[in-house]
Amino acid sequence: MLRMRVPALLVLLFCFRGSAGPSPHFLQQPEDLVVLLGEEARLPCALGAYWGLVQWTKSGLALGGQRDLPGWSRYWISGNAANGQHDLHIRPVELEDEASYECQATQAGLRSRPAQLHVLVPPEAPQVLGGPSVSLVAGVPANLTCRSRGDARPTPELLWFRDGVLLDGTTFHQTLLKEGTPGSVESTLTLTPFSHDDGATFVCRARSQALPSGRDTAITLSLQYPPEVTLSASPHTVQEGEKVIFLCQATAQPPVTGYRWAKGGSPVLGARGPRLEVVADASFLTEPVSCEVSNAVGSANRSTALDVLFGPILQAKPEPVSVDVGEDASFSCAWRGNPLPRVTWTRRGGAQVLGSGATLHLPSVGPEDAGDYVCRAEPGLSGLGGGAAEARLTVNAPPVVTALHSAPAFLRGPARLQCLVFASPAPDAVVWSWDEGFLEAGSQGRFLVETFPAPESRGGLGPGLISVLHISGTQESDFSRSFNCSARNRLGEGGAQASLGRRDLLPTVRIVAGVAAATTTLLMVITGVALCCWRHSKASASFSEQKNLMRIPGSSDGSSSRGPEEEETGSREDRGPIVHTDHSDLVLEEEGTLETKDPTNGYYKVRGVSPPASPDSCVTSFQWKSPGISNLP
């Protein structure tokens, strides 16, 4: 009953005061407030012209009218009540304090507008799955996951940074609890790491309105990556035949397990380790050297080609060309070298340069252009390589016929005429013709034709043929007529005339007779000289015999006279061949013996000389005419 009267009295008091002065009113009303968990919240409330009871409500629940708000240990009202100041304080703020608050002047029936108190919960430091060191494989796409857990309000935003730079390409994901309140929040960063990312630091930041600066969690990438290879050659530019060292350097995680070398795709047998030494040749210019390095994660390959300086090497020879007269002709050849060789074209046997480069073009060729053409490359800087290659130009034209020299023939004897034929294409036939006939092959009367290949060909004019016309039993008319040798092919006809020379018999007879006469004269001279010498030798022998017979009787010491040869014999022996005494009968007996025996044992006869004679003797004349016989002293 008492409680019902109090409000009525208050209303009467209010009415009474209203009639006496200004009515109660709010000087300041509470507003929505955001406050961090654990901090202090202050909701202001000020009244004018009111000195009655003031109380606060929380979501419609009255907190009480006393200043210390018993039962609410973290709540109190501050300010000068006499001045109408009634501020609500909450410290420390907790999640349960989040509600709608009103300031009420109960005796005046005044209520402030509701003020919503929002409690913010700062996010905790996020968690990166696999941290603080995350192991990845270089070159393989991977995800980094950052997760924020707890009761953070509002839901935090997760950001990724590297070196202070915000990264794009993140995916945001939020998980809701069954009650509908936010739960864990995840952010995924997709990246493809490379070897240079090894040891890199990535930062995941959780930030919200409750903590604008955010909280960070850093992780370090630990990468496993296949080898990164650097291949070098020293020196890179070399002369053919010089040594080159290849060095294969690699960084890898885990460490390198093996090296493999190859050249032009083919393994280099016996090559192991990071170093390879070779002798450079031309093939290294087009066949690179490669080094493959492996580890547990994978392998990597690098290759390099050397700049090898080498002389020209012929790659493609010029091919023979056959064209019709008046058409164009061209040759081509290919030389390889470093630096590129200078290629020139000449004609075999000539020094004039007809062109340069890989192709030689000859417009509207004629028979005079037929021949061998030379493609030449000069040696390189090293003096090695180079050379020449040639090909033949055959100009298809009418046959070229040349009459060959033929020996003169005797009348009624055999004769032979020849012609030489060059033609491309080969002639259909070679025909001999004369006044009353012609013959291609075989025999006809006194005439026979033979055709056979020429031992040598004339460059570019096609194969050669020799055609021979045999004539048996020549007649007078054969020496006065002309014989024609002709040949034809698809491009035309060519021919040449030949005539038969005559040889007379008279000069030969004269020569034979002269030789016979000279021979006879020589034989007669030799015979006469021989007879003369023989007779003179006989007479000298008889004279010597008679002289010896005359001197023996007058010799008191028993010695005898001797000729020159006998003196020589006497010098070698104690006595001469004949010793005479004073008995004449012994001398007479020896006379016959001296006529039949040569006291010099044939010396003078063999030598062709006699005992000393007069200068005009036959022997002296014979010795002078016969230098092959030596004169005796």
Side-chain angles (χ1 to χ4, degrees):
M1 185 69 177
L2 180 61
R3 290 181 178 178
M4 294 178 63
R5 291 179 178 177
V6 171
L9 292 175
L10 291 175
V11 172
L12 291 175
L13 180 62
F14 176 76
C15 293
F16 175 77
R17 288 188 174 224
S19 60
S23 61
H25 59 278
F26 282 102
L27 298 176
Q28 184 179 11
Q29 298 187 51
E31 296 181 352
D32 294 343
L33 179 63
V34 176
V35 65
L36 291 178
L37 180 68
E39 294 184 355
E40 180 179 343
R42 173 178 172 273
L43 296 173
C45 179
L47 293 168
Y50 181 74
W51 294 272
L53 179 65
V54 176
Q55 68 174 4
W56 284 86
T57 62
K58 175 184 178 183
S59 299
L61 176 63
L63 299 178
Q66 298 180 15
R67 306 292 286 184
D68 56 357
L69 298 178
W72 302 89
S73 60
R74 297 179 292 108
Y75 290 60
W76 74 91
I77 298 174
S78 68
N80 190 342
N83 295 330
Q85 192 71 36
H86 307 275
D87 298 338
L88 177 63
H89 292 261
I90 305 173
R91 188 179 62 185
V93 174
E94 297 180 358
L95 289 178
E96 61 186 26
D97 298 330
E98 190 172 83
S100 177
Y101 292 86
E102 291 183 2
C103 177
Q104 298 178 356
T106 56
Q107 295 175 349
L110 294 178
R111 299 175 61 183
S112 68
R113 59 175 176 266
Q116 186 68 36
L117 176 62
H118 298 280
V119 178
L120 301 183
V121 179
E124 297 178 358
Q127 176 188 9
V128 179
L129 301 184
S133 178
V134 179
S135 179
L136 301 177
V137 177
V140 178
N143 294 329
L144 294 179
T145 300
C146 179
R147 179 176 297 169
S148 176
R149 302 179 66 88
D151 298 326
R153 296 185 183 186
T155 301
E157 178 184 17
L158 300 179
L159 303 175
W160 286 96
F161 294 86
R162 178 177 178 177
D163 299 329
V165 178
L166 179 65
L167 300 178
D168 295 329
T170 60
T171 301
F172 183 79
H173 175 72
Q174 182 175 349
T175 301
L176 299 179
L177 300 178
K178 292 182 179 180
E179 294 80 1
T181 59
S184 64
V185 177
E186 292 182 354
S187 177
T188 302
L189 173 65
T190 301
L191 76 161
T192 301
F194 294 96
S195 59
H196 61 266
D197 295 324
D198 186 36
T201 299
F202 287 77
V203 173
C204 178
R205 177 175 298 169
R207 72 177 184 182
S208 66
Q209 183 181 359
L211 188 61
S213 60
R215 288 183 176 173
D216 297 341
T217 298
I219 57 99
T220 301
L221 295 186
S222 176
L223 292 182
Q224 291 186 345
Y225 52 92
E228 289 191 345
V229 181
T230 301
L231 180 60
S232 62
S234 178
H236 185 265
T237 300
V238 294
Q239 290 281 352
E240 188 175 21
E242 293 183 351
K243 288 185 178 180
V244 179
I245 296 177
F246 291 89
L247 188 60
C248 186
Q249 296 176 311
T251 57
Q253 183 64 34
V256 172
T257 57
Y259 294 84
R260 179 178 178 271
W261 291 91
K263 174 178 174 285
S266 299
V268 179
L269 301 180
R272 296 181 178 87
R275 189 173 182 271
L276 175 66
E277 182 174 330
V278 300
V279 176
D281 57 32
S283 64
F284 284 86
L285 187 65
T286 56
E287 297 179 6
V289 172
S290 61
C291 173
E292 183 180 84
V293 185
S294 304
N295 69 351
V297 177
S299 63
N301 188 300
R302 291 293 181 271
S303 63
T304 184
L306 293 178
D307 184 18
V308 182
L309 305 178
F310 60 94
I313 300 175
L314 181 63
Q315 286 188 303
K317 296 181 179 180
E319 298 292 336
V321 176
S322 177
V323 296
D324 290 347
V325 63
E327 294 181 348
D328 295 345
S330 62
F331 293 96
S332 63
C333 70
W335 292 85
R336 184 167 65 96
N338 187 28
L340 291 175
R342 180 176 180 268
V343 180
T344 58
W345 292 88
T346 59
R347 193 167 179 175
R348 188 170 68 175
Q352 181 182 1
V353 176
L354 304 177
S356 60
T359 302
L360 174 66
H361 182 69
L362 301 173
S364 187
V365 298
E368 67 279 2
D369 296 316
D372 296 320
Y373 288 82
V374 180
C375 171
R376 189 182 310 276
E378 299 300 327
L381 298 177
S382 62
L384 302 176
E390 63 181 43
R392 174 162 294 180
L393 172 62
T394 301
V395 179
N396 300 322
V400 176
V401 182
T402 305
L404 301 179
H405 174 72
S406 299
F410 294 109
L411 180 63
R412 298 183 185 86
R416 184 175 67 177
L417 296 175
Q418 301 180 90
C419 68
L420 179 61
V421 180
F422 289 103
S424 177
D428 301 328
V430 179
V431 179
W432 285 92
S433 60
W434 56 93
D435 294 343
E436 69 274 11
F438 66 92
L439 184 60
E440 176 182 341
S443 62
Q444 176 181 329
R446 296 183 298 114
F447 301 95
L448 171 67
V449 172
E450 291 180 327
T451 303
F452 49 88
E456 295 182 1
S457 62
R458 187 176 302 172
L461 294 179
L465 296 175
I466 294 180
S467 182
V468 183
L469 175 63
H470 297 275
I471 306 174
S472 62
T474 58
Q475 300 176 359
E476 288 287 350
S477 59
D478 295 334
F479 299 102
S480 59
R481 65 163 55 114
S482 294
F483 294 87
N484 185 57
C485 177
S486 61
R488 174 183 292 274
N489 62 10
R490 63 178 178 83
L491 296 174
E493 183 177 1
Q497 288 186 345
S499 58
L500 183 62
R502 183 168 181 171
R503 177 183 297 178
D504 293 332
L505 184 60
L506 182 59
T508 304
V509 174
R510 290 178 177 176
I511 293 173
V512 173
V515 172
T519 303
T520 302
T521 302
L522 180 60
L523 290 175
M524 291 175 66
V525 171
I526 294 174
T527 302
V529 171
L531 290 174
C532 178
C533 292
W534 179 79
R535 292 181 63 184
H536 182 77
S537 175
K538 186 71 174 178
S540 298
S542 299
F543 176 79
S544 298
E545 178 183 351
Q546 294 174 4
K547 186 176 181 181
N548 291 333
L549 291 175
M550 291 172 65
R551 288 182 179 180
I552 290 176
S555 301
S556 59
D557 56 0
S559 61
S560 61
S561 301
R562 301 172 186 157
E565 286 297 319
E566 291 173 346
E567 291 177 0
E568 290 180 9
T569 307
S571 66
R572 296 188 301 269
E573 300 177 0
D574 295 336
R575 62 184 178 87
I578 300 175
V579 178
H580 299 281
T581 65
D582 293 337
H583 302 283
S584 60
D585 56 340
L586 293 176
V587 176
L588 293 174
E589 288 178 359
E590 293 293 334
E591 183 176 359
T593 305
L594 291 173
E595 290 179 358
T596 59
K597 294 183 179 180
D598 185 0
T600 63
N601 293 325
Y603 182 85
Y604 290 111
K605 291 183 180 181
V606 173
R607 294 286 183 169
V609 298
S610 63
S614 60
D616 58 346
S617 67
C618 178
V619 174
T620 304
S621 175
F622 179 76
Q623 290 174 346
W624 178 81
K625 291 182 180 179
S626 303
I629 300 176
S630 303
N631 293 326
L632 294 174

